Amino acid sequence: MAYVIGGDCIKCGSCAEGCPVSAISEGDETYIIDADTCISCGACAAGCPVSAISEE
């Protein structure tokens, strides 16, 4: 199950830097996780300083 980034995202980029498969890119208002590329490892959620990332 892929992770998703919620509206609390502050666009700091920590999640993208921590993603081992480069599944995260910068969107207009938040970062976006590509569900097809995400391997559900949780590295992004662990690195998010505002806990904006959760399992879908």
Side-chain angles (χ1 to χ4, degrees):
M1 181 174 295
Y3 280 74
V4 292
I5 300 174
D8 293 339
C9 175
I10 58 172
K11 291 183 77 170
C12 67
S14 294
C15 57
E17 292 172 11
C19 181
V21 294
S22 300
I24 304 174
S25 60
E26 188 173 0
D28 290 335
E29 299 193 18
T30 65
Y31 272 73
I32 300 166
I33 299 174
D34 178 358
D36 292 331
T37 305
C38 179
I39 59 171
S40 300
C41 68
C44 58
C48 181
V50 294
S51 301
I53 304 172
S54 60
E55 285 188 275
E56 189 172 62

